């Protein structure tokens, strides 16, 4: 990270930060795409099982990862304020915290997995695949959380290309392990959708090991001695991270869990409907990695400027993010519209699943418009460490407005499963409008502060 003085310099720096994050996010999500597509080629039951398993896992992972993401604006602001000596302490405490969070998730999984699966009243094959997919995935929770913490540290220093290279290295490995464990190759039994969980867990362990080596051996990370000379755990530092991380994680949980809730409601329909819904959602979520990456880059850039008390520069980055959202929305909509036939056939060969998938993808065009605006705005607000109001906005938009609207349309109109997608669109749109209003308010507030400081 470095200080910029012109719009051109800001666009250049923002691009340098953004592009590796984008490649990293897309590559990480491609692991989920591989799981879904390759499971679908095994059978519709395997695809539906992985869909249900993912719908239970993704909101939990996203919520916990949101807590870990708090380290990014903290380090970015420390870097902007040139408080270098505090960075090592923050990272080590974050690693301690991620261990505790992983243990918590594991214990909750042991207690709740069976009751939740039974409550859904799934077909036996789907329930079996979902359960053991999650168990296999659970063996990689600890290395996944450690990697995400180290990645936040790496990215906050502006070295986003390093994260990109780590994930790019692991992607073909994940594809290979999926091939082996899903279809049964090289003497390994064919596990179907469960094999996708095994492959992903192995990949999590590999990326964690690689990240540890990078942070320990390479410059500029080596100078921080993050993995040596460990300090004692500090509850006060944990609390500082949790004050920022819990609202971030909760807001992300509320957003992602509405998608999971919809998938769970889809269990009332046929296995083909569940499979088509998951296929469409899976592809639309891949495109969501673009605005999500813009948001993550904005957190770093705005956090750096706010830490240095250059509030007007932070405001410019906010405008860059909003402009990017407009472009992303148009681009993603065109991609979905013109590729929907090809995409549907990639996920499954059953004609009924293909037809339903293409219908769901039309609705995906509209909800990604709201996502393309909302994700960059969330990232910008995280850069200001403004997280508590966004938590309330997420709860109201997604769960008090979006889900009830979807449920009503699905159960009291002829839309049926498509009604849930309209509910998602409604919730995301309300959330995006609220986030925009909050960002404009904060920019005005900090502009006044900048004038006061200058005066």
């Amino acid at each position: 990270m470095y200080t910029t003085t012109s719009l051109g310099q800001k666009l250049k720096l923002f691009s340098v930060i953004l592009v590796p994050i984008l490649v990293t996010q897309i590559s990480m999500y491609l692991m989920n795409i591989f799981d879904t597509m390759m499971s679908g080629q095994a059978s519709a039951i395997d695809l539906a099982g992985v869909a249900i398993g993912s719908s239970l896992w993704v909101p939990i992972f996203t919520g916990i990862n949101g807590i870990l993401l708090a380290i990014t604006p903290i380090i970015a602001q420390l870097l902007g304020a040139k408080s270098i000596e505090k960075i090592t302490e923050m990272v080590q405490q974050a690693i301690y915290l991620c261990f505790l969070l992983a243990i918590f998730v594991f214990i909750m999984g042991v207690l709740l997995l069976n009751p939740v699966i039974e409550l859904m009243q799934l077909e036996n094959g789907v329930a079996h695949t979902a359960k053991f997919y999650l168990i296999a995935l659970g063996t990689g929770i600890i290395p996944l959380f450690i990697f995400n913490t180290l990645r936040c540290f790496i990215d906050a220093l502006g070295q986003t290309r390093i994260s990109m290279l780590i994930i790019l290295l692991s992607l073909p490995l994940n594809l290979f392990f999926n091939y082996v464990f899903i279809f049964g190759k090289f003497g390994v039994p064919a596990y179907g959708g469960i094999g996708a969980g095994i492959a992903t867990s192995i990949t999590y362990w590999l990326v964690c090991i690689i990240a540890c080596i990078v942070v320990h051996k390479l410059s500029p990370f080596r100078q921080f001695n993050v993995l040596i000379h460990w300090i004692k755990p500090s509850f006060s530092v944990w609390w500082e991270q949790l004050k920022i991380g819990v609202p971030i994680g909760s807001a992300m949980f509320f957003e992602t869990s509405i998608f999971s809730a919809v998938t769970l409601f889809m269990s009332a329909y046929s296995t083909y409907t569940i499979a088509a819904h998951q296929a469409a959602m899976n592809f639309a979520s891949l495109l969501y990695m673009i605005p999500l990456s813009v948001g993550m880059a904005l957190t770093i850039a705005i956090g750096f400027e706010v830490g240095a008390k250059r509030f007007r520069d932070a405001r410019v980055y906010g405008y860059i993010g909003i402009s990017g959202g407009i472009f992303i929305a148009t681009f993603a909509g065109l991609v979905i519209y013109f590729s929907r036939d090809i995409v549907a056939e990639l996920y499954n060969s059953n004609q009924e699943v293909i037809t339903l998938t293409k219908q769901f993808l039309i609705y995906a065009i509209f909800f990604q418009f709201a996502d393309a605006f909302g994700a960059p705005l969330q990232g910008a607000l995280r850069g200001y460490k403004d997280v508590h109001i966004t938590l309330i906005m997420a709860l109201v938009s997604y769960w008090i407005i979006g889900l009830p609207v979807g449920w009503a349309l699905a159960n009291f109109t002829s839309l049926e499963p498509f009604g849930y997608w309209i509910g998602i669109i409604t919730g995301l749109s309300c959330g995006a409008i609220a986030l925009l209003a909050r960002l404009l308010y904060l920019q005005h507030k900090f502009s006044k502060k900048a004038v006061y400081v200058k005066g």
Side-chain angles (χ1 to χ4, degrees):
M1 294 298 298
Y2 56 85
T3 304
T4 56
T5 56
S6 67
L7 178 60
Q9 289 177 339
K10 285 180 171 58
L11 287 170
K12 180 180 178 181
L13 176 58
F14 188 73
S15 299
V16 169
I17 298 170
L18 170 62
V19 172
I21 290 178
L22 176 59
V23 174
T24 302
Q25 287 300 123
I26 290 176
S27 298
M28 289 184 70
Y29 196 77
L30 279 175
M31 294 183 191
N32 185 264
I33 290 280
F34 291 156
D35 286 355
T36 306
M37 283 186 173
M38 297 176 79
S39 296
Q41 294 305 317
S43 74
I45 289 177
D46 284 294
L47 176 56
V50 171
I52 295 297
S54 295
S55 71
L56 294 173
W57 166 242
V58 167
I60 295 170
F61 162 68
T62 305
I64 298 296
N65 192 49
I67 297 175
L68 303 179
L69 278 175
I71 201 69
T72 300
I74 291 172
I75 292 177
Q77 291 197 13
L78 287 173
L79 197 63
K82 303 188 184 304
S83 300
I84 307 298
E85 68 283 350
K86 294 183 180 179
I87 292 177
T88 300
E89 177 186 1
M90 294 304 303
V91 177
Q92 290 184 345
Q93 296 296 338
I95 293 174
Y96 286 137
L97 184 58
C98 83
F99 267 101
L100 289 181
L101 292 172
I103 293 170
F104 171 76
V105 171
F106 179 80
I107 293 173
M108 295 303 293
V110 170
L111 295 175
L112 299 177
L113 180 56
N114 279 330
V116 170
I117 293 291
E118 291 171 3
L119 185 65
M120 295 170 64
Q121 298 181 334
L122 300 166
E123 295 179 15
N124 290 336
V126 176
H128 176 80
T129 299
K131 175 181 176 180
F132 287 97
Y133 169 79
L134 287 170
I135 290 173
L137 205 61
T139 60
I141 288 177
I142 290 177
L144 173 63
F145 288 178
I146 294 174
F147 166 72
N148 280 334
T149 301
L150 294 177
R151 182 195 165 190
C152 289
F153 165 59
I154 292 169
D155 289 351
L157 295 182
Q159 302 295 320
T160 53
R161 286 175 294 181
I162 300 297
S163 299
M164 176 186 72
L165 292 174
I166 293 172
I167 293 300
L168 285 178
L169 183 62
S170 66
L171 194 59
L173 295 174
N174 178 251
L175 185 60
F176 170 75
F177 292 136
N178 266 343
Y179 175 72
V180 171
F181 289 101
I182 292 176
F183 302 109
K185 303 297 179 181
F186 306 108
V188 175
Y191 290 102
I194 298 170
I198 298 171
T200 302
S201 176
I202 293 172
T203 306
Y204 288 159
W205 280 98
L206 290 175
V207 296
C208 177
I209 292 169
I210 294 170
C212 288
I213 293 171
V214 166
V215 168
H216 183 61
K217 295 288 187 181
L218 299 185
S219 179
F221 320 110
R222 182 174 54 196
Q223 69 187 27
F224 292 94
N225 295 320
V226 167
L227 299 180
I228 57 176
H229 306 309
W230 288 85
I231 59 176
K232 293 181 180 180
S234 170
F235 290 101
S236 62
V237 178
W238 292 355
W239 179 242
E240 181 181 349
Q241 182 177 346
L242 289 171
K243 282 193 298 184
I244 300 172
V246 169
I248 293 175
S250 299
M252 295 175 73
F253 173 81
F254 288 139
E255 180 176 358
T256 56
S257 60
I258 189 176
F259 295 99
S260 298
V262 166
T263 300
L264 299 181
F265 282 127
M266 288 287 177
S267 62
Y269 301 97
S270 69
T271 296
Y272 290 152
T273 301
I274 298 173
H277 161 79
Q278 175 64 12
M281 189 67 74
N282 197 248
F283 182 72
S285 298
L286 174 64
L287 292 177
Y288 172 66
M289 294 302 106
I290 303 175
L292 178 63
S293 299
V294 173
M296 294 174 72
L298 283 174
T299 299
I300 296 168
I302 291 177
F304 180 74
E305 300 295 354
V306 170
K309 301 191 184 302
R310 293 187 292 266
F311 303 119
R312 289 180 179 175
D313 294 278
R315 184 173 188 168
V316 172
Y317 278 117
Y319 291 145
I320 290 173
I322 294 171
S323 302
I326 296 172
F327 172 78
I328 292 164
T330 305
F331 171 77
L334 291 172
V335 168
I336 294 174
Y337 182 79
F338 287 109
S339 66
R340 65 188 187 280
D341 290 343
I342 298 172
V343 169
E345 293 173 1
L346 283 174
Y347 280 92
N348 202 271
S349 57
N350 181 282
Q351 193 56 49
E352 185 176 347
V353 175
I354 292 173
T355 301
L356 285 168
T357 301
K358 289 192 288 186
Q359 291 176 293
F360 280 122
L361 284 171
I362 294 296
Y363 289 92
I365 294 174
F366 295 96
F367 87 67
Q368 66 80 31
F369 271 92
D371 254 344
F373 284 95
L377 292 170
Q378 283 182 331
L381 291 169
R382 285 197 295 268
Y384 286 101
K385 291 186 180 179
D386 185 72
V387 293
H388 294 90
I389 298 297
T390 55
L391 166 59
I392 298 171
M393 290 177 178
L395 175 61
V396 172
S397 299
Y398 306 139
W399 283 89
I400 297 180
I401 298 176
L403 191 60
V405 168
W407 184 85
L409 291 174
N411 288 276
F412 298 105
T413 73
S414 60
L415 289 167
E416 294 187 318
F418 303 109
Y420 286 114
W421 282 62
I422 295 177
I424 291 174
I425 295 167
T426 304
L428 291 175
S429 299
C430 292
I433 293 169
L435 290 168
L436 176 60
R438 180 62 180 177
L439 179 61
L440 294 175
Y441 165 77
L442 271 184
Q443 289 178 337
H444 180 68
K445 174 183 175 182
F446 279 90
S447 292
K448 286 185 176 180
K449 186 180 292 188
V451 171
Y452 176 78
V453 171
K454 185 176 180 180

